[in-house]
Amino acid sequence: MPRSHKIIYAIYIVVWIIMAIDPKYPADWLLENILVFLFFPFIVIMDIRHRYSATAIFLLLIFASLHSLGSHYTYAEMEHFDVISKFFGFERNHFDRVVHFLFGLLVFRILFEMITYGISSLKTALFFTLTTVISISTIYEMLEWIAAVTFHPELGMAFLGTQGDIWDAHKDTLAAMVGALINFFFYTHYSKLFKMRNTQRQAGEA
């Protein structure tokens, strides 16, 4: 594994540890981090095996760090976002919506690099990456609901972060989709990346 990747992972671990100290709602923090416990080792193992770009890992670090921040305060009560909410006159704390948007925007890159290994067409790879983002976002919303109802019903609103919006899950998924679609403006960049990843794969198979 490249040294740059080790540094990025180390930074994330430090951020995660800091955000794990005295969270606002410990039970909510644990629920929010179940997927982290599962996917962090998975990403590291896949990175060792397939060598993702430092850019993809760094973008993932940004998103994961924001998720850690949200799990520390809860997305609905992320107090440091209140300044922005008041400035724009928002009636709710939109930190959760911003993170969902950034999920689509930032995680798109590493998902694209994962998908290129099994696809021979750039357009198909981009399409499947987009649908993967939407699928993950939708499945996460359902898992969120199931986890809240099953394990801690009393944490429902804090964990789900709906803040009284009955369409919260739909808007979160839309935000992730919009974030993912922005990546399509960098079509030329992804074209070069696609060719490079395919060349690496073919060299590995030779």
Side-chain angles (χ1 to χ4, degrees), residues 10-24 29 65 68-69 71-73:
I11 291 173
Y12 171 67
I13 290 172
V14 171
V15 170
W16 186 87
I17 291 173
I18 293 173
M19 291 296 103
I21 298 173
D22 193 26
K24 192 165 187 176
W29 177 88
S65 297
S68 294
L69 186 63
S71 65
H72 180 86
Y73 293 99

Side-chain angles (χ1 to χ4, degrees), residues 114-132:
M114 290 179 175
I115 287 172
T116 55
Y117 275 94
I119 297 176
S120 58
S121 166
L122 171 61
K123 291 181 180 179
T124 303
L126 287 170
F127 174 75
F128 271 103
T129 305
L130 173 63
T131 55
T132 300

